[in-house]
Amino acid sequence: MKLFLQIVGLFALLLCVTLATLSLKHRGADGPSLLFPGGKLVSGELHQGADPDWSFTDQVGTIELETSNPVSSRRIFVMESGGKIYVGSAYMRSMLGRLWKDWAFDVEETGARNAVARIEGVRYERELVRVNDPKIVEGVARKSAMKYAGGATPEAVAQIMKQVADGDTWLFELAPRSR
Amino acid sequence: MSTSTYIKVCAGSAVVWALGLLFVSPFAQAVEGLLLLFLSTNAR
């Protein structure tokens, strides 16, 4: 029994060391890692002028998204729908989600909506706008299911739409900055 | 395992683990992948 507890204790210690080490390692870095947030997105050309045809993001698995209060960045899925691009934040009603997806709470609570998206090495200055309109959500859900859930079956689309309607998933448009 | 031996094992393991995460990128990426798998499976 003592040995079992010692092994459990060792695993718990290594988990704590992992979280602390990787969090410190990536804090302030030019972009996030797979899981841990990074700092300000510095490298890469800053896009100027009109928005591109966002359909190219259909071939992009994840983008890097920097939010402004506090300045931090993370990897995130991206969905194009109707010529606009969207990002989502899931697990918003769970405790793990509260810890893991703190950026979305920060955006909603502080109103600091300015963001920078780095997509294939190019930075785009955007504004995060929460989306709840079912017509928009349906298009985004369809694209999300197609890209990330193995196909846009009616069941998959309906499930994503329900998650958004229930507040389990928050959806944001990466809109052009208004100022 | 005696308490003093256990503490030494913990300290040594923690140092080696942290250095691996800091300086061996494939190791850090593998550990992050496992954490991500855990979170995406259990965050409900």
Side-chain angles (χ1 to χ4, degrees):
Chain A
M1 185 63 184
K2 183 183 175 186
L3 183 63
F4 174 74
L5 289 176
Q6 286 178 331
I7 291 171
V8 170
L10 181 58
F11 273 100
L13 172 69
L14 292 182
L15 178 61
C16 293
V17 169
T18 300
L19 295 176
T21 305
L22 292 179
S23 178
L24 286 172
K25 179 182 178 182
H26 296 294
R27 186 175 299 169
D30 176 16
S33 70
L34 189 63
L35 183 60
F36 289 84
K40 190 175 178 62
L41 301 180
V42 177
S43 62
E45 171 198 346
L46 186 63
H47 178 80
Q48 306 283 349
D51 280 357
D53 176 358
W54 293 114
S55 61
F56 78 92
T57 60
D58 288 353
Q59 310 304 318
V60 176
T62 58
I63 65 171
E64 295 164 286
L65 180 70
E66 174 197 315
T67 47
S68 53
N69 187 12
V71 174
S72 61
S73 57
R74 73 278 312 147
R75 265 183 203 287
I76 193 165
F77 291 162
V78 62
M79 290 76 67
E80 182 274 340
S81 177
K84 299 175 179 178
I85 52 171
Y86 302 85
V87 294
S89 185
Y91 313 120
M92 298 304 286
R93 292 200 303 175
S94 72
M95 193 183 74
L96 271 177
R98 181 91 201 176
L99 296 171
W100 186 12
K101 305 301 181 87
D102 55 349
W103 69 270
F105 290 101
D106 290 338
V107 167
E108 282 296 279
E109 288 166 7
T110 67
R113 303 189 177 285
N114 282 354
V116 177
R118 186 161 61 192
I119 309 173
E120 295 191 321
V122 178
R123 291 176 297 147
Y124 300 87
E125 292 181 321
R126 313 302 291 176
E127 183 174 333
L128 288 160
V129 178
R130 181 101 180 258
V131 173
N132 286 303
D133 182 338
K135 287 180 185 170
I136 298 173
V137 171
E138 183 179 2
V140 179
R142 193 174 303 283
K143 181 60 68 72
S144 178
M146 201 182 304
K147 279 183 79 175
Y148 302 111
T153 62
E155 295 78 18
V157 173
Q159 185 183 8
I160 294 170
M161 289 187 69
K162 184 176 185 310
Q163 286 169 351
V164 174
D166 291 348
D168 289 324
T169 296
W170 292 5
L171 211 55
F172 295 91
E173 180 192 344
L174 285 176
R177 287 195 184 171
S178 55
R179 58 185 181 277
Chain B
M1 198 185 309
S2 70
T3 302
S4 64
T5 305
Y6 177 63
I7 289 171
K8 286 174 189 166
V9 168
C10 284
S13 302
V15 169
V16 170
W17 191 264
L19 290 174
L21 290 171
L22 287 172
F23 300 112
V24 185
S25 287
F27 175 64
Q29 286 168 3
V31 171
E32 275 196 62
L34 288 173
L35 284 173
L36 186 62
L37 181 66
F38 171 80
L39 282 172
S40 53
T41 307
N42 293 283
R44 290 280 183 269

